[in-house]
Amino acid sequence: MKNLEPTIDLIINSYKTHGGINTAEDQDLPNKQSVVEILKDVQSLIFPGFFTEELVNSDNLRSVTGEKIYRITKALTRETLRSIGYYCKKNETTCKGETCRQRAANLVHSLIAEIPEIRRIASTDIQAALEGDPAAKSIEEIILAYPGFEAILVHRIAHFLFKQGLPLIPRIMSEYIHGKTGIDIHPGAKIGEFFFIDHGTGVVIGETTTIGRNVKIYQGVTLGALSVHKSMADKKRHPTIEDRVTIYAGATILGGKTIIGNDSTIGGNVWLTESVPPGSLIYNQYSQNSSQKKNT
C-alpha cells in the first residue's frame, strides 16, 4: 500500500492554514444530528403521535410527555452549553451575571415553558391552512402532510430560541427544515398568527422580515433584501407584510423600507422594491382585468 503519511501531513497542515475544524479544545460546536433529533422530539411534544414512531394513548400520555421533556432537557442543555461556549470563545467574553451552564439551563427551561404558547400559535396556522386550501380535508392531514405547515412549526421553535440570543442552534433547525421542504425561513423573521404557505417550494423569508396576521403566500415567493453588504447586518433589510395580505407564486418583494399594506394582493411574478398602500392589487403589466395598479 502506498505510504499515506505525506498526504496525512498535507491535510493536517490545511487544517492549521484554513481552519474549519471542530475539536474539544478548539470549538466543540453543537452536534448537528443531535440538534435535529432534539427538534423532532420538540415537534412530537407539540403534536404527540405525529412526528415519532412511538405509540401514544390516553393511558401513557403523561408518562411519555414527562420522559420526552426529560430527554429534551438533557440533550438540549448539552448542545446549548456547547453553543454558548463557542460564542464566548469566539468573542472572548463570558456569560454576564451567570455561568454558561446556568444560562443554558434557563434557556432550555424557557423553551419547555413556551410549548403551550407555541401549540396555540401553531393551531392558528393549521386553521389558516384548513380555511385557505380547498384541498385540505382535516387538521390531521395538515400536520402529517403539509410541508408549509411543518416549516412554519419549526420556525416557531427556532424563532423562540433566536429571540433568547442562542447562537447556531436556531439556524441549524431552520436549515434542516429548509433542506427537507425547500422553504427557507431565517429564524429571525417575525411572523404573526394564522400564517399559511401553500405548496411552499422555493419560498425565501429573510432575517428581518416582519409578517402580520392572516398572511398567505405561495411557492417561489422571496421576501428579501436590496443590499447584502455586511454593513447592513444590524439594520432592517427585508420587507414588512401587514395583515391579511396574499402573495402569489414567484413574487419578489425586497427592501427594509418596503411595506405591503393591509388587505393587499400581490400577483404572481411581481417584482416590488417600494411600498404599496392598504388594499392594493399589484400585478404584472401583461395581466388583465385589474382596476388598481400595474407593476412595470
Side-chain angles (χ1 to χ4, degrees):
M1 181 180 291
K2 187 176 180 180
N3 182 12
L4 294 177
E5 293 304 319
T7 302
I8 294 172
D9 289 339
L10 286 172
I11 293 171
I12 295 297
N13 287 334
S14 79
Y15 294 155
K16 297 175 183 177
T17 303
H18 303 296
I21 62 173
N22 178 31
T23 58
E25 66 272 15
D26 181 32
Q27 292 181 326
D28 195 23
L29 297 166
N31 181 275
K32 189 173 183 178
Q33 188 57 43
S34 293
V35 171
V36 171
E37 292 305 315
I38 291 164
L39 176 61
K40 291 176 181 178
D41 260 349
V42 175
Q43 288 178 269
S44 68
L45 187 62
I46 295 171
F47 290 107
F50 283 91
F51 292 98
T52 60
E53 294 181 0
E54 66 190 348
L55 296 175
V56 181
N57 56 51
S58 56
D59 293 331
N60 70 4
L61 182 59
R62 185 175 184 85
S63 62
V64 167
T65 300
E67 289 171 7
K68 193 166 296 176
I69 290 173
Y70 175 79
R71 187 165 66 238
I72 292 168
T73 299
K74 183 178 179 180
L76 186 54
T77 299
R78 180 187 66 239
E79 300 306 326
T80 297
L81 187 59
R82 288 177 171 178
S83 182
I84 293 171
Y86 154 78
Y87 183 84
C88 289
K89 281 183 184 178
K90 188 175 181 65
N91 293 277
E92 298 181 346
T93 60
T94 57
C95 298
K96 296 180 180 179
E98 57 184 348
T99 67
C100 288
R101 189 171 297 278
Q102 287 172 331
R103 184 182 169 202
N106 291 341
L107 195 151
V108 172
H109 176 76
S110 69
L111 174 64
I112 299 299
E114 187 71 8
I115 293 298
E117 176 62 8
I118 294 175
R119 278 182 52 80
R120 185 193 68 78
I121 297 174
S123 71
T124 72
D125 299 326
I126 293 171
Q127 192 62 34
L130 198 58
E131 294 176 359
D133 182 6
K137 300 297 190 293
S138 68
I139 290 171
E140 292 76 18
E141 179 184 16
I142 291 163
I143 298 173
L144 280 171
Y146 275 51
F149 171 73
E150 188 173 2
I152 299 164
L153 178 62
V154 170
H155 174 75
R156 303 291 188 195
I157 299 164
H159 180 67
F160 178 82
L161 295 173
F162 182 88
K163 287 192 301 179
Q164 307 308 305
L166 179 63
L168 295 175
I169 290 175
R171 198 64 191 270
I172 292 171
M173 291 178 172
S174 65
E175 290 306 324
Y176 158 73
I177 202 66
H178 176 198
K180 184 178 179 181
T181 66
I183 298 168
D184 183 2
I185 310 176
H186 192 284
K190 300 174 183 176
I191 301 177
E193 299 174 3
F194 296 94
F195 182 52
F196 179 38
I197 301 175
D198 203 355
H199 306 297
T201 304
V203 165
V204 177
I205 301 175
E207 178 184 12
T208 62
T209 302
T210 299
I211 297 175
R213 293 165 55 94
N214 297 99
V215 171
K216 179 179 181 179
I217 66 177
Y218 286 81
Q219 69 273 16
V221 167
T222 296
L223 304 178
L226 276 169
S227 171
V228 293
H229 294 297
K230 292 297 286 185
S231 60
M232 294 289 291
D234 296 324
K235 302 184 186 306
K236 181 161 169 49
R237 309 181 305 281
H238 305 92
T240 295
I241 312 299
E242 294 187 340
D243 298 345
R244 299 176 301 281
V245 170
T246 298
I247 307 173
Y248 282 97
T252 298
I253 304 172
L254 305 178
K257 296 182 180 179
T258 303
I259 300 173
I260 306 302
N262 293 329
D263 303 293
S264 291
T265 299
I266 309 300
N269 299 313
V270 161
W271 176 279
L272 267 180
T273 59
E274 61 184 39
S275 298
V276 300
S280 294
L281 172 59
I282 311 296
Y283 63 98
N284 277 318
Q285 191 171 21
Y286 56 75
S287 298
Q288 298 179 353
N289 300 324
S290 171
S291 60
Q292 296 196 39
K293 184 176 180 180
K294 296 179 181 178
N295 177 244
T296 57

